[in-house]
Amino acid sequence: MRGLFITLEGGDGAGKSTQIEYIEKFFREKNRVVVCTREPGGTRISEMLRNILLDKQNTEMEDVTEMMIYAAARSQSVREFIKPALERGEVIICDRFVDSSIAYQGYGRELGDMVAEVNSYATGGLRPDITFWFDIDPEKGRERAAKAGEPDRLEREALDFHYRVYEGYKKIAEKEPDRVKRIDATASIEDIKNEIRAYLEELM
Ligand code: TYD
């Protein structure tokens, strides 16, 4: 059986975690081996890089440095963990992937096309089978995320940064409608689950 690579994307406070649990349950009930991971992170080295990226004290980090560390963390988890699992036929659910770098570093930091190019090396061309983009207005997302605790280095960015990220996601979704499914993150948890289930059934 072929593996499946599913990613979730969106701004802060979009409610991805609840739906990750749901997707996991969906596939377990179908007797598939399911693994959840996150970016940056998922392997020992990637988690170390995550700490560098999210540390509030690293205010002097250059944008290109940031983009490359995200890509380095991704390269490690793709090769060490994601690709081998897909080859074994497992279902991988990943909280964020390359689209986050395109949106946050490409649009948010305004690094442009360089981001896609660097990431094509990082992933060796691996692409998700399906991506759920949780669409939420940045201001609303920020309010929701604030309730979840202390903001990390990226969450501390000004609202105009988060609006550029949002525009980035919109462009990605427009460019790749077959892969990227827009989810209205303001809908009820139940409605979102039903929508996701319909997409997953179609995918299988
Ligand atoms: P995390 O707490 O995992 O985010 P969330 O809970 O919002 O999914 O922190 C990851 C942060 O890193 C998040 O603010 C988005 C950012 N990020 C990038 O800027 N580029 C990337 O390539 C990735 C994967 C994440």
Side-chain angles (χ1 to χ4, degrees):
M1 201 183 285
R2 205 175 133 298
L4 276 178
F5 185 32
I6 299 165
T7 61
L8 292 88
E9 294 284 351
D12 304 313
K16 287 175 289 156
S17 319
T18 313
Q19 300 300 336
I20 287 175
E21 282 172 27
Y22 173 67
I23 298 171
E24 187 182 5
K25 187 165 150 266
F26 173 92
F27 283 105
R28 281 205 207 290
E29 281 169 2
K30 301 217 169 339
N31 295 318
R32 296 287 300 253
V33 178
V34 194
V35 191
C36 297
T37 184
R38 66 171 179 185
E39 283 212 339
T43 67
R44 192 180 64 86
I45 291 171
S46 311
E47 289 289 336
M48 288 165 87
L49 295 171
R50 176 186 177 89
N51 289 336
I52 299 173
L53 286 163
L54 301 185
D55 190 333
K56 307 189 273 293
Q57 289 182 350
N58 290 341
T59 51
E60 76 277 33
M61 191 182 293
E62 294 289 338
D63 294 347
V64 176
T65 310
E66 175 184 287
M67 186 269 289
M68 287 185 163
I69 301 179
Y70 276 112
R74 181 164 299 130
S75 161
Q76 187 65 32
S77 57
V78 164
R79 288 172 176 77
E80 182 185 330
F81 170 67
I82 299 175
K83 271 195 181 153
L86 288 172
E87 278 158 17
R88 289 191 299 270
E90 296 173 10
V91 178
I92 307 291
I93 307 168
C94 194
D95 186 352
R96 302 186 176 280
F97 195 60
V98 175
D99 298 322
S100 280
S101 282
I102 307 277
Y104 283 77
Q105 281 67 52
Y107 285 85
R109 302 290 190 213
E110 303 182 293
L111 293 179
D113 295 341
M114 185 206 309
V115 182
E117 196 176 336
V118 169
N119 274 279
S120 71
Y121 294 104
T123 61
L126 176 70
R127 289 157 63 84
D129 294 292
I130 193 165
T131 299
F132 296 111
W133 168 45
F134 285 68
D135 178 353
I136 188 162
D137 174 76
E139 215 160 335
K140 205 173 265 168
R142 182 172 254 211
E143 276 167 30
R144 283 207 208 165
K147 293 187 189 126
E150 267 283 281
D152 62 40
R153 195 174 58 84
L154 276 287
E155 285 166 356
R156 277 162 194 261
E157 283 296 327
L159 207 51
D160 63 335
F161 171 83
H162 292 284
Y163 271 102
R164 285 198 299 276
V165 171
Y166 183 72
E167 283 308 308
Y169 275 126
K170 246 165 70 181
K171 292 235 169 72
I172 296 169
E174 276 163 22
K175 245 192 350 212
E176 291 184 77
D178 289 340
R179 173 178 67 89
V180 183
K181 308 300 178 192
R182 178 188 166 276
I183 302 288
D184 175 2
T186 62
S188 75
I189 292 179
E190 261 336 283
D191 285 350
I192 296 178
K193 274 185 193 170
N194 290 336
E195 202 180 349
I196 287 183
R197 188 190 334 105
Y199 283 128
L200 294 179
E201 263 154 16
E202 195 184 303
L203 183 70
M204 286 178 82

